[in-house]
């Protein structure tokens, strides 16, 4: 199916916002800092954020937790599965928990509670995008990149059915069922 990707946040907007977030995090003066990125969707955001944090004088260590709440489609699910857990000791550390989108909040509240239960001193939630109208769990982000309209977004690490993670910008998919089968995507 040919689809059009409409740009929501372009590369410059993202870069500016990521630098601002890193500065705000640096201003909070975290100690023994560990950044935990929730895979897969946050991988590009987290990579840019830790480099921006470095430019602000921080020296975060980096960890990953791979959680799954969505299949290959766009429907949410009640269940969170751990596909890969954080390996480092989190005891007494300030954690920056990074994800692409805070939607129902189930993914991030699961990850936050898990890190707290393992003895983290603080867990600070950073979401690139926030969809507050969709919230089901009692959680809000300490830092938000952008408020996101109620659309399914892709790019900058985020996928739809495993596609579009590589886009350097954030956009939303507009299906074009009238298009020729096998056609290429447009932007
Ligand atoms: P939550 O547990 O409902 O907050 O789900 C958040 C997770 O769902 C995100 O980390 C994404 O992996 C995925 N997700 C939610 N909305 C979108 C979207 O618009 N595009 C791509 N992934 C999404
Ligand atoms: Mg995710």
């Amino acid at each position: 199916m040919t689809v059009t990707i409409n740009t929501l946040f372009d590369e410059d907007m993202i870069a500016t916002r990521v630098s601002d977030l890193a500065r705000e995090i640096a201003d909070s003066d975290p100690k023994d800092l560990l950044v935990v990125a929730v895979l897969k969707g946050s991988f590009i955001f987290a990579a840019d954020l830790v480099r921006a944090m470095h430019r602000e004088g921080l020296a975060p260590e980096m960890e990953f937790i791979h959680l799954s709440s969505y299949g290959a489609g766009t429907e949410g699910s009640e269940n969170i599965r751990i596909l890969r857990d954080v390996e480092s000791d989190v005891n007494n550390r300030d954690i920056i928990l990074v994800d692409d989108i805070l939607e129902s909040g189930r993914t991030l509240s699961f990850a936050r509670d898990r890190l707290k239960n393992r003895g983290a001193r603080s867990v600070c939630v950073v979401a690139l995008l926030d969809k507050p109208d969709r919230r089901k769990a009692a959680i809000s982000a300490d830092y938000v990149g952008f408020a996101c309209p109620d659309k399914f977004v892709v790019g900058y690490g985020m996928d739809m059915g495993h596609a579009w993670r590589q886009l350097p910008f954030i956009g939303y998919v507009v299906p074009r069922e009238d298009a020729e089968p096998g056609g290429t995507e447009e932007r």
Side-chain angles (χ1 to χ4, degrees), residues 21-43:
L21 288 172
R23 197 168 313 118
E24 289 176 41
I25 291 166
D27 287 346
S28 74
D29 199 20
K31 302 278 183 290
D32 198 11
L33 181 59
L34 180 67
V35 171
V36 176
V38 181
L39 296 174
K40 302 174 189 168
S42 75
F43 81 107

Side-chain angles (χ1 to χ4, degrees), residues 38 41 69-70 80 99-108 131 151-154 158-160:
V38 181
S69 62
Y70 275 64
I80 310 288
D99 205 358
D100 53 355
I101 305 183
L102 179 57
E103 194 176 68
S104 77
R106 290 189 189 106
T107 307
L108 275 169
K131 292 182 179 175
K151 295 179 185 302
F152 199 84
V153 296
V154 296
M158 294 171 282
D159 75 311
M160 186 176 74

